[in-house]
Amino acid sequence: MRPDEPPSAPSSRVQMKLVVGEGRSSSPPPPPRFRVPLQRAIDAMRELFPAELAEVMRFVDKVRAARGAAADPDLVSRVLGELLRLLPSYRDTPGVPVSLVRVAFPEVPKTLLDRALLTAEERGLLRLVAADFTAAFVEPSAGVPTARGLLYFIVPVR
């Protein structure tokens, strides 16, 4: 700050940073299909309102909390209840699609729900069935990826 400037005036250092910041590359951003997911997420977040950003942060906190956490017994019970509710509609099929059970739990991160399904299978409460990749309707992101393959259907154990 110069001695003749009033204390409230911005310093030349700040002004210099702004000028330097304006000298960024003038090339247009890459087309959307070539952008990495992080860039796309940042661009999308720039357009959100503060209340929407707060909602995104709550979801991020849930996902972080789910890392390494054991499956909640209450969640396992709720998943079994949803499976039994959907089962009558899927009697003549290979099982209830995992994606339909996921839809019933929008507040639960995918990894935590996958862990609850795998825990229920370990306990013998249900059986997860791998999908045949030759089927046209199989969406890889909708299943549970494991060493056994893409577990896509849920069958109750009787």
Side-chain angles (χ1 to χ4, degrees):
M1 189 172 352
R2 295 190 308 244
D4 58 332
E5 284 182 308
S8 62
S11 69
S12 59
R13 176 182 284 166
V14 172
Q15 290 172 351
M16 206 159 96
K17 282 186 178 178
L18 292 175
V19 170
V20 170
E22 291 175 358
R24 292 187 183 174
S25 172
S26 61
S27 63
R33 65 185 170 145
F34 294 115
R35 303 192 67 164
V36 296
L38 180 60
Q39 290 172 326
R40 291 179 43 220
I42 290 170
D43 290 345
M45 285 192 285
R46 285 186 178 137
E47 297 173 6
L48 296 177
F49 292 109
E52 295 167 331
L53 280 173
E55 189 66 29
V56 168
M57 287 310 300
R58 278 192 289 276
F59 178 73
V60 167
D61 290 341
K62 284 182 184 179
V63 170
R64 284 183 182 160
R67 288 183 185 160
D72 180 23
D74 180 54
L75 179 60
V76 172
S77 296
R78 289 175 33 215
V79 166
L80 289 172
E82 184 64 20
L83 174 64
L84 293 175
R85 187 186 73 77
L86 292 169
L87 192 60
S89 301
Y90 291 88
R91 289 247 182 244
D92 299 328
T93 64
V96 176
V98 171
S99 58
L100 290 180
V101 173
R102 276 204 186 104
V103 168
F105 302 99
E107 75 283 356
V108 179
K110 183 178 187 255
T111 55
L112 195 55
L113 191 58
D114 290 352
R115 199 169 301 128
L117 288 168
L118 293 169
T119 300
E121 185 180 39
E122 287 171 9
R123 293 180 185 168
L125 302 172
L126 56 84
R127 188 169 46 92
L128 294 167
V129 179
D132 182 12
F133 279 108
T134 59
F137 62 85
V138 173
E139 175 62 36
S141 64
V144 180
T146 65
R148 294 182 356 215
L150 183 67
L151 304 178
Y152 202 79
F153 299 104
I154 308 170
V155 180
V157 176
R158 299 205 187 266

